[in-house]
Amino acid sequence: MKKSWLALITGLMFLSCIQQNREKSGNTTVFTGREGEVKLIVLAPGHFHANLLQKSVLPQVNDSVFIYAPAEDTGLKQYLSAIESFNQRDKDPTDWQTIVYTGDDFLNKMVTEKKGNVVVLAGNNKEKTEYILSAVNAGLNVLSDKPMAINREDFLLLEEAYANAEAQNVLLYDMMTERYDMLNIIEKELINDPDFFGGLKTGTPEDPAVYMESVHHFYKEVSGIPLIRPAWYYDVEQQGEGIADVTTHLIDLLFWKCFPGQSVDYTRDIGNISSSHWATEITLPQFTKSTGETAFPDYLQKYLNNSILEVYANGTLHFDIKHRNVGLKVIWNYQAPEGGGDTFMSVVKGTKTTLKTIQNKEQGFVKQLYVQKNDGMDENEFSDNLQKAIEKIRITHPFVSASPTAVKGEYIINIPVENREGHESHFKYVAESFFKFLINRSMAEWEKTNTLAKYYITTKAVEVAKDRD
């Protein structure tokens, strides 16, 4: 009994110390994990990622959600429609209560009222970094969709936001959903098995140690219904160039897989950034089909060339990290060919093994992971090392196996589709990780340094590409 009372008193004293520290820093919210203590503020929702955090019921999140947005905002209407669909669905309906404020002063109203304690950002990227800084300065935690910065000025604001977040004792976090993709989880384990993979090669700019290529499409149909994009999605000053947007996930995966738990300092660990960019040409009929708009808005007029909209959504990016060479390529076509879809490929070269991820027509546009024996390595030794690596993985992921392909020395890592959750489900895991950080104050320092390194690379790449024009 005495031990129980002592534990209780010690726990209360600990919570009291946390409370005192946060009061000194201006943040009086203590997160314990109890139901409903996370109160969301959704600021200027303009991308469907804003609602995906609310697709599932999360016990820590309060049912009342405060939304601040400009009046007559299309993104707000789409967000509210999605939330209503979650509330009305037959299976596992949610019970969100939305309290909406609209007006030109929505940002000031949000930071003045501070009705919640976690700000969610997913939308137009032009003002996003300023929104992040304003929220942090108001003593609010921030969970932001990518990209958090799309140009050099944004990057400097993001640095300031992270510094102020530390002073305010609040957390700022980037929604890196790809870390929860099962294929990426398995590949990370293989890369970090030295008996199987060896070490990451150095590579060269022409033949990098890590290469990733991602192909996307502006116009898509989901269940036969066009995915309507906001007109500003075609403005690189609002959405960001391709090398400032899609590459955020690619660079995050690079850091997370190849340098796990390591801080990347952009002032000393990143070098030799080079890049190029080029435009996707969009006709007015294509633009109308994608957005529902019958004319190009005024802010897009400067991108018109003989009535064709030029969108700088494509690019290449090369840099080195800790003396390893990396190459990235991003392509945005208007529409996939008949029977086609988005594609992806990556190559990660170890001293013993090369890992390849391919998502193409041959794979039914489902990502598949392959491992290839390096030249000069004994095939029996490679097969034994692979089997041992798979056995270790199967301890936590028993559904994983490996089988040879028609290519000599190559195996496919079998990850059944039924054991892979879709992109939308990953947002729940991001939120759960973030809430744990709020409770335990346990967010690793590398999360901050690596996020800054990532956005330093992408925003510097945009500058370099423009200078080459």
Side-chain angles (χ1 to χ4, degrees), residues 15-33:
L15 288 175
S16 176
C17 289
I18 293 177
Q19 180 70 16
Q20 290 174 15
N21 289 338
R22 293 181 184 177
E23 286 175 353
K24 288 178 183 177
S25 69
N27 176 21
T28 58
T29 300
V30 176
F31 294 93
T32 65

Side-chain angles (χ1 to χ4, degrees), residues 154-197:
D154 287 349
F155 173 73
L156 296 175
L157 288 178
L158 188 62
E159 277 197 308
E160 183 181 352
Y162 268 107
N164 292 0
E166 188 170 345
Q168 290 278 2
N169 200 23
V170 296
L171 297 185
L172 169 55
Y173 197 55
D174 200 0
M175 294 186 207
M176 289 289 100
T177 53
E178 292 299 307
R179 297 182 194 176
Y180 300 92
D181 181 279
M182 185 54 65
L183 184 145
N184 291 328
I185 291 170
I186 300 304
E187 184 180 27
K188 181 185 180 184
E189 293 198 29
L190 290 172
I191 290 171
N192 289 282
D193 186 332
D195 292 333
F196 171 68
F197 182 73

Side-chain angles (χ1 to χ4, degrees), residues 315-349:
T316 62
L317 168 55
H318 291 82
F319 62 95
D320 59 64
I321 170 175
K322 298 181 186 285
H323 308 295
R324 272 78 166 193
N325 285 276
V326 177
L328 307 175
K329 187 175 185 179
V330 176
I331 296 174
W332 278 85
N333 297 320
Y334 174 70
Q335 186 174 2
E338 187 71 28
D342 291 352
T343 64
F344 176 80
M345 69 88 65
S346 75
V347 179
V348 183
K349 298 178 180 178

Side-chain angles (χ1 to χ4, degrees), residues 52 57 170 198 206 211 388:
L52 290 181
V57 175
V170 296
E206 298 74 28
Y211 178 78
K388 291 175 183 176

Side-chain angles (χ1 to χ4, degrees), residues 22 27 29-33 37-38 117-118 141 438-439 441:
R22 293 181 184 177
N27 176 21
T29 300
V30 176
F31 294 93
T32 65
E37 71 178 350
V38 174
N117 45 37
V118 173
N141 301 282
L438 292 175
I439 296 165
R441 315 305 296 178

Side-chain angles (χ1 to χ4, degrees), residues 298-327:
D298 290 343
Y299 55 77
L300 291 179
Q301 295 297 316
K302 60 185 175 182
Y303 304 117
L304 293 181
N305 184 3
N306 294 323
S307 300
I308 300 296
L309 181 66
E310 296 182 335
V311 186
Y312 278 82
N314 314 287
T316 62
L317 168 55
H318 291 82
F319 62 95
D320 59 64
I321 170 175
K322 298 181 186 285
H323 308 295
R324 272 78 166 193
N325 285 276
V326 177

Side-chain angles (χ1 to χ4, degrees), residues 187-201 209-210 257-258 347-355 371-372 374 377 382 385-386 389:
E187 184 180 27
K188 181 185 180 184
E189 293 198 29
L190 290 172
I191 290 171
N192 289 282
D193 186 332
D195 292 333
F196 171 68
F197 182 73
L200 185 64
K201 284 187 174 182
V210 179
K257 291 179 183 178
C258 299
V347 179
V348 183
K349 298 178 180 178
T351 53
K352 295 182 178 180
T353 306
T354 296
L355 277 69
V371 296
Q372 173 74 52
N374 284 357
M377 187 171 186
F382 174 77
N385 289 343
L386 173 59

Side-chain angles (χ1 to χ4, degrees), residues 104-163:
D104 293 339
D105 63 339
F106 69 93
L107 178 61
N108 182 64
K109 193 79 169 177
M110 184 273 288
V111 299
T112 301
E113 293 184 341
K114 288 202 289 187
K115 289 188 175 181
N117 45 37
V118 173
V119 175
V120 174
L121 282 165
N124 190 310
N125 300 314
K126 186 177 182 179
E127 313 293 343
K128 184 186 287 180
T129 321
E130 291 186 7
Y131 294 164
I132 290 171
L133 182 59
S134 295
V136 163
N137 289 346
L140 296 166
N141 301 282
V142 177
L143 184 55
S144 176
D145 191 29
K146 62 84 184 168
M148 295 169 75
I150 60 174
N151 54 49
R152 175 65 177 173
E153 293 74 18
D154 287 349
F155 173 73
L156 296 175
L157 288 178
L158 188 62
E159 277 197 308
E160 183 181 352
Y162 268 107

